[in-house]
Amino acid sequence: MRQRLINKTAQPQETLTAGRMAAARNAAIIEPVSLSSLLFDSTLSKEDWIEGLKHHSKTVTNLLLNDQIKDFDAYLESQFGSGISEIKKALTEIDYKPILQDLLQTAILIEHSTIPPYLTALYSIKDGTNALASQIIRSVAVEEMLHLIMVCNVLNAIGIQPSVNQKENYPTYPMKLPMNVDFYVGLETFSSNSIATFIAIESPSASVVKAPEYDYETKTSELYSQRAAVQENHLWTLENMKGFIIENVHTIGEYYDVLFFYIVVFQIIAYYKTHGTLPKNFEDLDKGGIFTGKPEKQIRPEQYYGSGGKLHSVEALSGVIAVFQEIKGQGEGADDSIFDVDPSQFEEGVELAHYFRFKEVFHEHFYLGGNYKPFMDENGMMPVTTPPTGKDLPVDWNEAYPMKPNPKLADYVLNKELYAQGVEFNKTYRRLLDAIQSAVEGNQKELEKSIMYMYALKEQAVNLMKQPLDAQTNAGPTFEYIDL
C-alpha cells in the first residue's frame, strides 16, 4: 500500500464568496456549500460553485489519497445523510466520457511532455561521466513512462480508448505544460539550466516537507544508484471544469488532485443513476458506475518491463487511488516526506521524489546525511526549497554535448546525412509510442519492444549530438511526429 501523500493534519481551507460572507457575517462558523449543493443545485452561483469546488476537492483528495476511508465515509454521511430534495435532470444526463477523456488525455500529454526533455538531457551526458546524475535522470524518465501507462489504465477502466501515438499527442518544444505555469519546457543539453527547469516541472504543491532524519545506510544504497454540451446549470461542463484548473492549478500534483475529484464526482452521479439514492460510503463508490472498461485491456505489473515504481491496474475507484498515489508520491513526495514512500517501509524500495532528486543534481549534494536543523521548525518541517546538504554528488557540467536548444528537422535540411539520422531517430521514437499504443489497446506483449527501442534511441541521439551544427552548437534529437 502506498503511503499518505498529504499532510493528514492539514485541514482544507474554507473559503467564501463576498455575498455569503456578508450573509453570514455574524455566524460563529461559516460552512462552504455542501457537496450535494455543489453537485445538484442548479441555482448555485458560479462564484459559490468555484469556492465549493476548492473546498470539497481538497477534502475528498485529502481523505481518499491518504487512505482515510472511515473518515471519508463520515464525510459522505455529513454531506448526503439527509438526502436532497431534488435531483436536477441536467446533471444526471451529463456525458462524463468526453469530459474525462479530455482531462485524462491532458494528463497523458503532461507526462509525455516531460519524457523527451529528460531523455535529451540524459543522452547529452558524455559516456563515462556524471554517472550519478545520469542514474537520477534515467530513473525519473522511466517513472514518467510508467505514469503515462497508468493514466492509460485509468482511461481504459472508464471505457475510453487512450491515445499516445497520434500527431496531436506529440509535445512541440519549447512549450508550456498544459497547466497554469509561467515557464517553458524544452529540449536542452544537460546543464544547470535544464535541471532547474526539471525542478520547476516537479515542484510540489506543499510548501514544507519533513526533514530527512533516518540513517539506514545499508538499506538506502538503491537511493543513490537508480467538449461536452452546455447543460442547464452551466456549471459542470468541460469548459468550466478546465477553467477552474487554469485559474487554480499550478503544479502536476495539483492537477492530479482536481482530476481525481472530478472522477469521484462522476462516480457519485453514476451511482445515483443506477440506484436512485446517493452513496453512503466508499464501498458504494468503489466498483461499477463509470468503470465499465474491459479488464483485459489493463497493463498489469507483470507485463511492464520498466524499472522504478510500481504499476497499478485499474478496475475500480480503488485502482485510481493507487495510480494517483504512485504518480504524486514519485513526483513530489509521500506523506510530506522527500521520499516517494515511507522510508521505514522498504518493500517497494526507497527513493526520493523527482523534485528532490533533481535538486540533488543541481546542488551537487545528496539529501541524506545533511544537517537541516537551521531550516527546521519545531515540528521537524523544512521548506521544500531547502537545498541538500549531505555528501557530495559530483557533477561536471562541461561533460555534455553542446546541443542546439529545441532542434528541428528543418535545421538539418542542408545536410542530407544529418537529416536522415534525425528522421531515423523520430521513426524509432514513433515505434516506441506505437508499441505503447498497441499495448493499451490490449496487445500487452508489444511492451516488450519498448526496451529495444529505448536502447536504439540513445544510440541514435548520441550520434546526432556528436555532430557540429554550427560554430557553437551540435545537432540533437527533435522528437517530432513522423509518418512511418
Side-chain angles (χ1 to χ4, degrees):
M1 182 179 294
R2 299 295 300 175
Q3 303 306 307
R4 294 183 176 85
L5 299 172
I6 303 170
N7 185 358
K8 58 179 179 245
T9 62
Q11 298 299 320
Q13 295 179 352
E14 297 180 359
T15 51
L16 298 165
T17 65
R20 291 175 60 221
M21 287 184 67
R25 185 176 290 113
N26 297 321
I29 299 178
I30 304 175
E31 294 290 340
V33 297
S34 67
L35 181 60
S36 59
S37 294
L38 181 67
L39 299 183
F40 303 116
D41 185 359
S42 64
T43 67
L44 197 66
S45 71
K46 178 72 170 292
E47 189 178 17
D48 281 357
W49 179 80
I50 290 173
E51 297 303 324
L53 205 161
K54 289 180 181 178
H55 173 85
H56 291 288
S57 64
K58 289 179 181 178
T59 301
V60 169
T61 301
N62 190 38
L63 294 175
L64 289 182
L65 295 190
N66 279 321
D67 298 322
Q68 299 182 50
I69 303 302
K70 289 184 178 179
D71 290 341
F72 176 76
D73 291 348
Y75 163 76
L76 279 189
E77 175 65 26
S78 71
Q79 300 298 310
F80 295 155
S82 58
I84 54 177
S85 58
E86 182 181 7
I87 300 289
K88 296 299 178 182
K89 182 179 180 182
L91 184 62
T92 58
E93 291 183 347
I94 289 177
D95 185 357
Y96 65 86
K97 283 193 174 183
I99 296 176
L100 292 183
Q101 181 176 26
D102 187 288
L103 297 172
L104 284 163
Q105 280 293 152
T106 298
I108 288 176
L109 180 58
I110 290 172
E111 301 297 345
H112 188 177
S113 298
T114 66
I115 294 170
Y118 293 166
L119 291 180
T120 299
L122 173 64
Y123 297 155
S124 73
I125 297 174
K126 295 179 180 179
D127 285 346
T129 69
N130 294 308
L132 291 172
S134 295
Q135 290 173 6
I136 288 172
I137 299 171
R138 183 184 298 108
S139 69
V140 175
V142 168
E143 287 171 6
E144 298 297 352
M145 191 73 74
L146 171 71
H147 297 173
L148 186 152
I149 291 173
M150 288 196 293
V151 175
C152 290
N153 274 350
V154 175
L155 276 161
N156 269 326
I158 299 172
I160 303 170
Q161 179 60 58
S163 179
V164 299
N165 67 339
Q166 298 302 306
K167 187 174 183 179
E168 60 268 25
N169 305 132
Y170 271 63
T172 302
Y173 303 100
M175 64 173 289
K176 289 188 176 183
L177 294 179
M179 301 181 299
N180 187 21
V181 299
D182 58 0
F183 62 91
Y184 283 88
V185 178
L187 305 177
E188 298 182 30
T189 191
F190 173 72
S191 67
S192 59
N193 182 70
S194 59
I195 296 299
T197 300
F198 300 165
I199 291 171
I201 291 172
E202 303 288 354
S203 179
S205 53
S207 61
V208 294
V209 68
K210 293 176 183 175
E213 296 177 352
Y214 74 101
D215 59 352
Y216 304 125
E217 190 67 31
T218 58
K219 292 188 177 183
T220 60
S221 58
E222 291 184 11
L223 182 63
Y224 300 112
S225 67
Q226 14 166 264
R227 282 344 123 326
V230 176
Q231 306 295 332
E232 288 178 17
N233 60 4
H234 302 289
L235 293 176
W236 288 100
T237 65
L238 177 59
E239 180 182 9
N240 283 340
M241 295 165 76
K242 291 180 72 173
F244 177 85
I245 289 172
I246 291 172
E247 293 295 325
N248 297 279
V249 169
H250 302 85
T251 70
I252 295 175
E254 289 174 351
Y255 183 86
Y256 277 106
D257 284 347
V258 175
L259 176 55
F260 177 75
F261 178 68
Y262 289 161
I263 291 172
V264 174
V265 163
F266 287 120
Q267 184 70 345
I268 290 172
I269 295 169
Y271 182 89
Y272 174 80
K273 289 180 69 174
T274 300
H275 300 278
T277 60
L278 291 169
K280 297 180 177 62
N281 50 50
F282 176 78
E283 185 176 358
D284 289 344
L285 285 179
D286 189 27
K287 297 181 179 179
I290 67 175
F291 298 103
T292 60
K294 298 179 179 179
E296 57 266 28
K297 283 193 171 184
Q298 292 292 308
I299 307 294
R300 302 185 185 279
E302 62 272 18
Q303 297 163 333
Y304 180 68
Y305 299 91
S307 58
K310 181 177 181 181
L311 188 143
H312 299 274
S313 57
V314 181
E315 296 180 31
L317 185 59
S318 53
V320 179
I321 291 173
V323 165
F324 282 31
Q325 285 177 332
E326 186 81 18
I327 293 174
K328 282 173 56 63
Q330 287 186 338
E332 61 182 58
D335 195 21
D336 287 333
S337 167
I338 67 174
F339 300 97
D340 64 3
V341 296
D342 187 325
S344 67
Q345 301 189 27
F346 294 95
E347 72 280 1
E348 296 183 51
V350 179
E351 184 60 277
L352 267 68
H354 297 175
Y355 174 81
F356 299 100
R357 282 183 239 177
F358 285 137
K359 283 180 71 70
E360 288 186 323
V361 177
F362 184 86
H363 293 282
E364 303 180 34
H365 284 274
F366 287 103
Y367 271 96
L368 292 187
N371 176 19
Y372 303 98
K373 289 183 179 179
F375 306 96
M376 293 164 52
D377 62 18
E378 63 277 8
N379 297 315
M381 306 295 286
M382 67 181 187
V384 295
T385 55
T386 303
T389 61
K391 70 178 185 179
D392 289 345
L393 192 167
V395 176
D396 189 340
W397 301 103
N398 295 317
E399 289 296 329
Y401 296 107
M403 189 195 82
K404 172 185 171 66
N406 304 304
K408 306 293 182 186
L409 280 178
D411 298 327
Y412 309 151
V413 291
L414 298 179
N415 185 326
K416 291 184 178 180
E417 182 178 352
L418 196 57
Y419 184 86
Q421 290 181 26
V423 168
E424 286 305 310
F425 176 91
N426 288 336
K427 285 183 177 180
T428 301
Y429 190 63
R430 169 66 189 276
R431 292 185 181 104
L432 171 64
L433 296 182
D434 286 351
I436 295 173
Q437 181 67 40
S438 181
V440 301
E441 290 176 357
N443 306 305
Q444 291 89 344
K445 285 188 70 64
E446 288 294 297
L447 276 181
E448 296 178 10
K449 298 179 180 178
S450 63
I451 299 176
M452 174 183 66
Y453 292 137
M454 288 298 291
Y455 279 114
L457 278 178
K458 179 179 180 181
E459 181 179 356
Q460 292 169 343
V462 171
N463 286 338
L464 283 165
M465 291 179 178
K466 287 180 177 179
Q467 301 185 58
L469 188 60
D470 53 43
Q472 288 79 36
T473 61
N474 288 9
T478 67
F479 291 94
E480 294 172 280
Y481 176 83
I482 195 166
D483 290 318
L484 296 179

